[in-house]
Amino acid sequence: MIRGLPEEEFFASGHRACAGCGAAIAMRHITKAAGRNTIVVQATGCMEVVSTPYPETAWRLPYIHGAFENTAAIASGIERALKTLGKKYNILVLGGDGATFDIGFGALSGAIERGHNFLYVCNDNGAYMNTGIQRSGATPKYAHTTTSPAGRVIPGKLEWKKPLPFIIASHRAPYVATASISEIPDLYSKIKKGLEIEGPCYVQVFSPCVPGWGIDSAKSVEVARLAVETRICPLYEIEGGILKITKDIKEPKPVEEYLKAQARFKHLSETQIKEIQAFVDGEWTRIKELEEKKCRFY
Amino acid sequence: MAEKNTKKIEFTLGAVIREPGSTIKNKTGGWRAMRPVLDQSKCVRCGTCWMYCPEGAIKKDEKGNFVIDYDYCKGCGICANECPVKAIKMELEKK
């Protein structure tokens, strides 16, 4: 064990992720937390493409690749089959934000409603990075992507990010959490908890994308940390419908520090930065209120 | 040239891959432009570099020292950036 994390690697070296890939860091520790007794179901996306260049695989766990839209449905089938056979494995479902927020959302919603026992982990880098940085439901407002190009016509994406953890929690999911690659021990324990709790659990991992965000490969962990410290990425868990902030940011850094570190936000005006700051402040107040008043999601 | 492109791949039913972790055949060290060099005398063995390496290319040896596996290190520089005691320096890769 190093820093309380197992040394055994289930996500092998030699995968084709870009240098400095935030999601690859997440994959290493998610699989460490899940352990050997795990079946991985993965949606199409960056992490699927870089880890399984046929006839090779980076996975040291039983692994099945579905499509974008049916990952949660495949996991449901595996769970029911194992139940019938009387076998017990961890079912770890992995998808990017494209597969989770947009394309596979219907299947995920249905699987949670049916109450299958699995852990769905969304790797949230805020766009379809694998196909060439197209906007998704997870893309933050004013971010430049190839389908929301910042220029004279529009200043990047025009909409706010979809509040998916809250949507999943409202499905009566027993456990929902957000995590970041800058806080690995926290990510590790949330994955463990999500697999231990019976029923459909959901963990959303915030992970920077070097080419998609326009950052230096050495800075991906630093930028993820900035997102936490500026309250852009609040870390919380919703257990039994009750929200608890797991990392309280008492003195937040201005969002400008986070935005200025990335090329996808380099076109932002002062007013737009102020608008983002006001939104982030408002969201934090709302989350704080949910925690303090012990509001129930169901 | 033509011969190089006719590498035989044995297809399995359902495209099943029978060898777990077989990407280790692919040495990604060749991607590297900058080379991280770890100064063992400065290292406090905290494991931060090991934890944040996207490649799993930093390993702990029997003596408890952290060593960089240059076969897989892509030279991203996260380890040097995150090291709390600045024991890792990025140097230009020389062929």
Side-chain angles (χ1 to χ4, degrees):
Chain A
M1 299 285 264
I2 304 172
R3 299 182 76 119
L5 306 162
E7 279 179 62
E8 190 175 7
E9 301 282 347
F10 296 103
F11 189 69
S13 305
H15 59 75
R16 273 71 154 175
C18 307
C21 176
I25 304 173
M27 291 303 126
R28 279 183 62 213
H29 297 290
I30 291 166
T31 49
K32 278 173 199 281
R36 190 159 286 287
N37 197 36
T38 301
I39 293 173
V40 179
V41 187
Q42 193 170 37
T44 300
C46 261
M47 280 302 106
E48 172 264 319
V49 171
V50 303
S51 67
T52 56
Y54 191 81
E56 287 171 21
T57 178
W59 299 88
R60 293 191 176 117
L61 295 167
Y63 173 96
I64 181 165
H65 163 225
F68 257 128
E69 47 279 82
N70 60 358
T71 328
I74 295 172
S76 310
I78 293 172
E79 189 252 9
R80 279 300 136 94
L82 290 173
K83 211 174 194 177
T84 310
L85 293 168
K87 290 182 177 172
K88 196 140 174 59
Y89 292 97
N90 294 327
I91 301 171
L92 179 64
V93 198
L94 304 168
D97 56 274
T100 311
F101 282 63
D102 303 343
I103 309 175
F105 179 70
L108 174 60
S109 174
I112 294 171
E113 181 260 323
R114 292 189 301 271
H116 295 286
N117 182 24
F118 62 60
L119 170 66
Y120 193 105
V121 183
C122 169
N123 174 63
D124 169 21
N125 57 16
Y128 293 83
M129 300 307 184
N130 159 49
T131 46
I133 318 158
Q134 287 86 14
R135 58 105 64 206
S136 78
T139 308
K141 192 170 183 178
Y142 296 133
H144 166 93
T145 68
T146 51
T147 47
S148 63
R152 269 179 290 120
V153 183
I154 52 163
K157 191 193 171 188
L158 295 172
E159 303 80 16
W160 297 108
K161 181 172 183 158
K162 199 191 269 190
L164 200 64
F166 288 2
I167 298 170
I168 304 288
S170 303
H171 279 67
R172 299 177 175 273
Y175 184 73
V176 172
T178 58
S180 164
I181 61 144
S182 64
E183 313 287 328
I184 298 289
D186 175 68
L187 162 70
Y188 182 83
S189 61
K190 281 171 177 166
I191 300 291
K192 276 231 175 282
K193 206 165 173 182
L195 285 165
E196 270 160 27
I197 293 173
E198 194 71 21
C201 300
Y202 175 80
V203 177
Q204 188 170 300
V205 185
F206 189 83
S207 71
C209 168
V210 172
W213 293 17
I215 54 174
D216 189 274
S217 66
K219 304 273 180 185
S220 53
V221 174
E222 197 181 305
V223 171
R225 190 174 297 120
L226 269 175
V228 173
E229 289 170 348
T230 55
R231 295 176 173 171
I232 292 252
C233 169
L235 300 180
Y236 55 81
E237 53 186 16
I238 306 167
E239 200 179 337
I242 293 179
L243 186 141
K244 188 178 142 249
I245 294 174
T246 50
K247 192 176 169 82
D248 198 1
I249 308 297
K250 294 210 168 71
E251 282 160 25
K253 291 183 174 170
V255 292
E256 197 171 352
E257 262 185 63
Y258 167 78
L259 301 170
K260 286 271 157 79
Q262 304 167 53
R264 63 173 176 162
F265 291 119
K266 72 173 181 212
H267 58 280
L268 292 199
S269 68
E270 283 297 310
T271 346
Q272 285 159 345
I273 293 172
K274 274 193 191 131
E275 190 191 336
I276 294 172
Q277 183 70 62
F279 178 78
V280 169
D281 292 346
E283 282 294 285
W284 182 268
T285 315
R286 191 162 72 97
I287 292 167
K288 263 292 200 213
E289 214 169 294
L290 287 172
E291 185 189 38
E292 275 156 19
K293 292 186 178 159
K294 293 195 166 50
C295 298
R296 299 192 67 93
F297 275 86
Y298 55 87
Chain B
M1 276 306 281
E3 257 175 52
K4 257 192 183 170
N5 293 332
T6 54
K7 198 172 90 184
K8 269 190 192 158
I9 296 176
E10 205 184 307
F11 289 98
T12 49
L13 195 66
V16 171
I17 303 173
R18 296 203 180 95
E19 200 188 331
S22 52
T23 48
I24 52 162
K25 287 178 206 158
N26 182 49
K27 304 271 167 80
T28 49
W31 296 20
R32 196 170 54 243
M34 298 297 281
R35 183 185 184 88
V37 179
L38 171 59
D39 182 349
Q40 294 291 356
S41 66
K42 278 192 194 163
C43 178
V44 291
R45 287 155 191 83
C46 65
T48 304
C49 55
W50 169 85
M51 185 167 76
Y52 287 129
C53 178
E55 310 309 320
I58 298 176
K59 291 178 183 91
K60 202 174 171 182
D61 69 7
E62 316 82 63
K63 290 180 213 149
N65 290 335
F66 286 92
V67 285
I68 299 165
D69 186 345
Y70 293 107
D71 277 351
Y72 300 107
C73 168
K74 291 171 187 164
C76 67
I78 291 179
C79 53
N81 197 49
E82 295 298 324
C83 178
V85 292
K86 299 283 160 229
I88 304 174
K89 289 259 165 333
M90 296 305 288
E91 291 173 4
L92 196 66
E93 186 69 45
K94 284 177 204 131
K95 274 272 144 73

